[in-house]
Amino acid sequence: MINGLKRLVNWIIHTQIWLSIFRQGWPNTERNRILTILNTCLFHLHPLKVRTSGLKVKYTFCLGGISMFLFIVETITGVLLMFYYRPTVEYAYQDMKDLEFAVTFGLFLRNMHRWAAHGMVLTVILHMCRVFYTGAYKPPREYNWCVGVVLLVLTLLLSFTGYLLPWDQLAFWAVTVGTNMAKATPIMGAEGPFHILSEMSDMCFYLRGSVNISENTLLRFYVLHCIALPLAAVVLMSIHFWRVRKDGGISGPL
Amino acid sequence: MESGDKKLTVDIIDKPARRGLLLIIGWVGFLFFSLVAGLLTTVDFFKPKVIFGPSSRFKAGFPDEYLVGKVSTRWMKEKGVWIIRTERGIYAFLAICRHLGCIPDWVEEEHLFKCPCHGSNYNLEGDVVGGPAPSPLFRVVVSYAPDGQLVIDKSIKEDRVGVREKGQFFLPV
Ligand code: HEM
Ligand code: HEM
Ligand code: FES
């Protein structure tokens, strides 16, 4: 019995399929472990060696990693929501109701998307605090801090654009108030200091795609929320992670 | 012979230099204008050219349908305006809070327009008597149609003291 199992395993790990996926042997020697990391797409994102100080949970609290994890949760639940959500004035609210009452696990999906969104805003801010308190923003990591700031802004914009999508009273008035603030922008806002643009061409108009919140606004926010902003976030996160390694790995204790 | 030789040398050195300058000017100009044109086109792309929505002018019935001393909420839901009749005439407010754009409520008992979002209060003149709003409610144009009905035009609005109580913003009855 045991022998049969061993023979089976031996046969499996010598098939062409197995060998084409895992190009190195079992990771039980130093050499094979290194090769495993180098040859595996997901593993190679990690450095071959990390400082033990960087592994201490209390140094990073894993906050960057948790932010990344929550973003992945957002992407998966978000894409699933997109199968049932139509961004039009006629259907948006109705589709939210259908998601809650008719779609299998729809309510769970919505709640997961919402809680992960709140969670991500929280962990990104805490991650920024961690980086600040460990002094990890100092050279050579100042560039990565700036990439991080853009990531923070993207996270907040994702939350803001997502907020309109349910198209209920809360969403409508929250975004009315939120976009109205753009009118107070200096020069570019219709009511701001030194304004030069009219209500039909100021920042607020570009945000809304009309004078008031409308079909245009819903579509705009939907495209931004589901395509433009997540794409930008993915690109910047790639740069962010790449830079963590190029800057010499996680910073050491002060 | 000698002088001719000299001239030839000068020409050869001179020409490429001048051509180089022209090339630089050409390229810089070309890149600059493509950049500006590209930028302006992109900005313009995001500005909708046609906006669909209800007309901002509408007929609001006959003046007699409005009671003296009352704020009428008859057109609130459909058109977002209050029509107010005093002893002297009729004026209309745009029902948009001047703080950040919510819709205030007319509260008859307190004789105030009260905004649910952050608590701005306006009196019957449209002036702010409480809350964060920085300016008074907008008044809009009130006039007569040929058949004697009121016509409200929301596209022209006014909030300046001294201008908002007169002319097209106030219809004597
Ligand atoms: C950092 C990432 C994201 C944040 C912070 C975020 C935030 C939000 C929020 C706050 C809502 C309103 C949820 C509700 O009221 O139930 C929402 C809705 C939605 N999001 Fe996201 N989102 C993110 C990523 C994504 C991604 C990557 C996609 C798709 C590719 C997506 C697709 C959607 C859709 C279709 C809705 C409407 C359905 C609904 O409201 O339940 N989201 N998002
Ligand atoms: C979507 C948002 C973000 C994600 C997914 C993310 C992810 C990460 C991850 C996984 C790390 C590795 C170390 C750790 O987990 O702490 C890291 C490091 C770092 N992050 Fe972020 N981050 C985000 C936002 C930010 C923000 C807002 C800032 C600062 C304004 C920032 C600045 C940095 C810096 C300077 C490092 C290097 C830290 C060190 O070497 O100790 N990041 N980030
Ligand atoms: S929008 Fe009316 S008080 Fe803020």
Side-chain angles (χ1 to χ4, degrees):
Chain A
M1 175 70 190
I2 299 282
N3 258 341
L5 217 59
K6 270 189 182 157
R7 271 220 305 282
L8 183 67
V9 169
N10 204 39
W11 177 77
I12 290 175
I13 65 173
H14 285 97
T15 52
Q16 192 176 359
I17 295 177
W18 182 278
L19 288 173
S20 71
I21 301 174
F22 304 103
R23 304 213 314 255
Q24 68 290 326
W26 216 249
N28 49 6
T29 64
E30 176 86 2
R31 183 186 133 83
N32 275 355
R33 282 187 190 138
I34 290 178
L35 282 175
T36 304
I37 298 289
L38 284 179
N39 286 346
T40 312
C41 177
L42 278 176
F43 286 162
H44 98 284
L45 297 175
H46 281 97
L48 279 176
K49 295 198 163 111
V50 286
R51 250 183 254 145
T52 37
S53 63
L55 284 177
K56 288 212 174 69
V57 174
K58 275 165 103 179
Y59 189 68
T60 62
F61 291 98
C62 282
L63 287 164
I66 298 173
S67 309
M68 174 65 188
F69 170 73
L70 289 176
F71 181 77
I72 294 171
V73 171
E74 284 302 88
T75 310
I76 294 173
T77 54
V79 168
L80 291 175
L81 287 169
M82 286 171 79
F83 278 95
Y84 282 101
Y85 174 85
R86 287 166 290 180
T88 63
V89 169
E90 197 179 350
Y91 295 124
Y93 183 70
Q94 212 45 55
D95 287 345
M96 303 306 301
K97 288 285 155 225
D98 279 353
L99 270 164
E100 285 183 12
F101 297 116
V103 177
T104 309
F105 281 120
L107 180 60
F108 182 68
L109 268 182
R110 260 200 90 183
N111 287 341
M112 208 158 143
H113 195 76
R114 180 146 252 191
W115 283 104
H118 290 324
M120 186 174 159
V121 172
L122 198 75
T123 55
V124 169
I125 289 170
L126 289 175
H127 169 62
M128 185 173 75
C129 295
R130 187 292 282 179
V131 169
F132 180 76
Y133 285 123
T134 54
Y137 56 85
K138 289 177 192 166
R141 298 187 174 79
E142 69 273 46
Y143 180 81
N144 222 12
W145 171 271
C146 297
V147 175
V149 172
V150 182
L151 276 169
L152 175 66
V153 173
L154 284 177
T155 309
L156 298 179
L157 284 178
L158 273 162
S159 267
F160 184 61
T161 49
Y163 205 59
L164 179 67
L165 303 182
W167 203 249
D168 52 12
Q169 285 293 319
L170 184 66
F172 190 92
W173 293 109
V175 174
T176 299
V177 165
T179 46
N180 241 315
M181 290 181 199
K183 283 189 187 152
T185 317
I187 302 168
M188 313 268 275
E191 290 167 18
F194 316 112
H195 57 266
I196 45 170
L197 300 171
S198 80
E199 207 171 55
M200 295 289 288
S201 59
D202 73 336
M203 290 286 287
C204 181
F205 185 79
Y206 274 89
L207 272 176
R208 291 180 180 169
S210 56
V211 176
N212 296 310
I213 305 280
S214 66
E215 180 86 51
N216 280 3
T217 323
L218 184 56
L219 188 57
R220 244 159 226 239
F221 275 42
Y222 180 74
V223 174
L224 285 174
H225 183 84
C226 299
I227 310 281
L229 294 171
L231 268 182
V234 166
V235 170
L236 275 155
M237 279 180 199
S238 316
I239 297 172
H240 197 62
F241 302 153
W242 184 76
R243 271 310 280 247
V244 169
R245 279 182 64 183
K246 293 294 156 180
D247 291 341
I250 299 292
S251 56
L254 286 173
Chain B
M1 183 74 190
E2 228 177 42
S3 61
D5 259 12
K6 207 177 175 188
K7 193 164 179 286
L8 201 68
T9 337
V10 170
D11 259 15
I12 288 168
I13 294 172
D14 222 345
K15 258 194 191 148
R18 250 189 263 143
R19 252 191 237 146
L21 186 67
L22 276 178
L23 262 180
I24 290 173
I25 293 175
W27 274 105
V28 168
F30 173 70
L31 288 177
F32 178 76
F33 280 110
S34 347
L35 203 81
V36 171
L39 205 75
L40 289 180
T41 321
T42 312
V43 169
D44 196 53
F45 171 80
F46 284 103
K47 183 177 173 187
K49 304 299 174 300
V50 187
I51 297 173
F52 304 94
S55 160
S56 55
R57 267 169 76 93
F58 66 97
K59 280 190 181 175
F62 295 94
D64 291 346
E65 295 164 20
Y66 296 90
L67 298 176
V68 174
K70 284 277 179 197
V71 173
S72 165
T73 54
R74 175 173 161 191
W75 298 101
M76 261 308 290
K77 203 162 183 163
E78 220 178 304
K79 304 287 181 184
V81 288
W82 292 291
I83 297 180
I84 297 154
R85 178 155 182 194
T86 65
E87 267 134 39
R88 296 195 301 111
I90 289 177
Y91 60 96
F93 281 134
L94 201 58
I96 296 178
C97 180
R98 293 302 305 282
H99 178 225
L100 287 168
C102 291
I103 300 180
D105 285 318
W106 166 243
V107 182
E108 180 74 45
E109 304 82 64
E110 300 180 47
H111 265 242
L112 287 175
F113 301 96
K114 304 182 83 169
C115 182
C117 286
H118 319 93
S120 290
N121 291 356
Y122 306 85
N123 61 17
L124 274 174
E125 293 302 309
D127 287 324
V128 185
V129 292
S135 354
L137 289 175
F138 274 125
R139 303 194 192 197
V140 294
V141 172
V142 192
S143 58
Y144 281 124
D147 63 359
Q149 289 200 58
L150 296 175
V151 176
I152 309 287
D153 185 352
K154 297 197 292 176
S155 62
I156 304 172
K157 43 194 194 179
E158 185 55 67
D159 65 350
R160 284 169 296 173
V161 182
V163 186
R164 63 183 194 188
E165 298 90 351
K166 304 194 285 232
Q168 52 182 351
F169 301 104
F170 187 82
L171 188 71
V173 182

